[in-house]
């Protein structure tokens, strides 16, 4: 079955449900790390592309738009799911960091009240697609200004807030 992030309110979930989710995510993100070790960038990580197997083992699926690195040096047409895509992918820049952003957004979706739409990168736009259109049309100077404002709007949470800090670490802009 696909990873289901929609029915869990991490704030009120039982300890058992939290542990199950985190173990499943750890397995999925270990798979992403292994892909990166092999020089593969997935480009479309989202809950629907993470399968949960018996025993809460997870598997990354759907490599249809994945690429091998060094292709990242050139501009690549945008592909993926806007809700989980790193802003730099909207202008054709793809790297392993893009997959890390997606992992952070999957955690965001699963663990924060309001899910994806409560993330700082998105909540100032009407939708992830609006963010995509806005960011992809910016020149380099505008992207850097956007990144600086984003950093002000989304300061580093205390390291004692482990989940918040992990999401923050994954979703830093890379203009």
């Amino acid at each position: 079955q696909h990873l289901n992030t929609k029915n869990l309110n991490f704030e009120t979930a039982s300890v058992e449900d939290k542990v199950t989710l985190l173990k499943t995510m750890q397995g999925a993100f270990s798979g992403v790390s292994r892909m990166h070790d092999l020089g593969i960038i997935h480009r479309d990580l989202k809950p629907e592309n993470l399968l949960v197997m018996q025993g809460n083992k997870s598997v990354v699926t759907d490599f249809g738009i994945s690429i091998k690195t060094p292709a990242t040096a050139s501009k690549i047409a945008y592909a993926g799911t806007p809700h989980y895509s790193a802003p730099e992918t909207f202008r054709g820049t793809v790297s392993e960091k893009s997959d890390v952003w997606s992992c952070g957004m999957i955690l965001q979706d699963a663990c924060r009240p309001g899910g994806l739409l409560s993330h700082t990168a998105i909540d100032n736009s009407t939708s992830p697609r609006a963010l995509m259109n806005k960011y992809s049309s910016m020149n380099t100077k505008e992207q850097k200004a956007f990144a600086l404002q984003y950093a002000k709007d989304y300061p580093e949470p205390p390291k004692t807030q482990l989940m918040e800090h992990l999401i923050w670490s994954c979703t830093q802009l890379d203009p």
Side-chain angles (χ1 to χ4, degrees):
Q1 69 181 14
H2 296 288
L3 178 64
N4 183 356
T5 59
K6 304 296 183 219
N7 295 329
L8 178 69
N9 179 343
F10 200 77
E11 302 288 317
T12 59
S14 70
V15 171
E16 181 180 342
D17 285 345
K18 288 179 184 181
V19 168
T20 298
L21 173 70
L22 293 176
K23 283 184 178 180
T24 302
M25 302 292 259
Q26 180 183 21
F29 298 163
S30 292
V32 171
S33 177
R34 179 68 179 131
M35 286 179 352
H36 291 169
D37 290 345
L38 296 171
I40 299 169
I41 300 172
H42 191 280
R43 298 180 62 208
D44 195 22
L45 289 169
K46 57 187 175 184
E48 295 81 4
N49 288 341
L50 302 176
L51 294 182
V52 181
M53 311 304 278
Q54 191 171 9
N56 291 317
K57 295 195 185 299
S58 46
V59 177
V60 178
T61 65
D62 191 0
F63 290 84
I65 61 172
S66 64
I67 58 169
K68 279 286 262 180
T69 52
T72 58
S74 60
K75 294 283 185 183
I76 296 172
Y78 172 77
T81 305
H83 288 73
Y84 298 93
S85 297
E88 64 267 17
T89 64
F90 303 144
R91 66 175 191 267
T93 304
V94 181
S95 71
E96 293 166 346
K97 291 179 183 180
S98 307
D99 283 347
V100 172
W101 173 283
S102 298
C103 291
M105 294 307 278
I106 292 167
L107 284 171
Q108 166 87 18
D109 196 22
C111 300
R112 272 202 182 151
L116 286 171
L117 297 180
S118 68
H119 192 276
T120 302
I122 294 172
D123 70 5
N124 293 325
S125 297
T126 55
S127 70
R129 181 140 332 254
L131 174 68
M132 177 181 86
N133 292 336
K134 176 181 171 182
Y135 198 80
S136 63
S137 66
M138 292 178 183
N139 63 38
T140 304
K141 184 178 177 182
E142 292 169 327
Q143 289 170 358
K144 288 183 180 193
F146 181 84
L148 287 172
Q149 185 61 49
Y150 175 83
K152 288 179 189 173
D153 291 344
Y154 192 27
E156 181 176 5
K159 288 185 171 71
T160 55
Q161 296 176 354
L162 298 177
M163 191 57 63
E164 287 295 317
H165 198 273
L166 181 57
I167 293 168
W168 176 86
S169 297
C170 290
T171 57
Q172 291 304 289
L173 287 178
D174 185 22

